[in-house]
Amino acid sequence: MGKKILRGECWDVLSLALNETHANWNGYDVFGTPYDYKKDCVSPGDLIAFKGVKFAGAKNGTKYFETMEKHFAVVKEVKPNGELVLWHQNTGNFGRKLGESSIFLGDLKKGKMQFFRPVN
């Protein structure tokens, strides 16, 4: 945490995770089996591609608003309340260093999230 992975791009977190676990991927855009997060369980280690998303809701009684135009993250933890704890970098909160934040799937207001499960 708090250190830059490779070039500091959000994509670099995924590439490091995939390479370190010897996952089967093409080095570009095929990095696991896509699935529908509304129908299947999200698991730690899954990857998320965000496109034009906007989240709005409340965390610990405080309103929050987050946007991600084009972004990638790794799921670190799935909490029973629907909170996903993410590892990612190149964000407004962490800059080009690895950080941890969370989202609630029910707080998605617009945009698209594509989930992937890496395979070996």
Side-chain angles (χ1 to χ4, degrees):
M1 283 298 138
K3 295 184 180 183
K4 182 167 76 169
I5 294 177
L6 303 172
R7 301 163 299 153
E9 299 292 336
C10 59
W11 171 254
D12 293 333
V13 177
L14 270 67
S15 98
L16 179 68
L18 291 164
N19 288 336
E20 289 293 316
T21 59
H22 306 288
N24 185 13
W25 72 300
N26 71 355
Y28 178 64
D29 63 349
V30 178
F31 42 85
T33 304
Y35 69 90
D36 184 345
Y37 72 93
K38 294 176 183 175
K39 295 179 183 176
D40 298 314
C41 291
V42 179
S43 297
D46 287 352
L47 311 173
I48 309 173
F50 299 93
K51 186 171 184 180
V53 300
K54 174 183 171 183
F55 289 93
K59 289 183 187 178
N60 302 320
T62 304
K63 290 183 180 182
Y64 83 99
F65 173 83
E66 188 167 358
T67 61
M68 294 178 237
E69 191 54 41
K70 186 174 180 185
H71 189 64
F72 297 95
V74 176
V75 177
K76 178 204 175 214
E77 182 181 357
V78 180
K79 295 190 176 182
N81 65 355
E83 178 181 5
L84 299 183
V85 180
L86 307 177
W87 282 340
H88 50 146
Q89 65 183 10
N90 200 10
T91 70
N93 293 333
F94 319 119
R96 292 187 173 269
K97 295 180 180 176
L98 184 65
E100 183 176 295
S101 68
S102 61
I103 58 170
F104 291 89
L105 294 175
D107 290 345
L108 179 66
K109 302 303 180 201
K110 77 174 217 178
K112 183 178 178 183
M113 294 186 296
Q114 189 169 17
F115 284 70
F116 298 89
R117 180 138 314 131
V119 293
N120 289 345

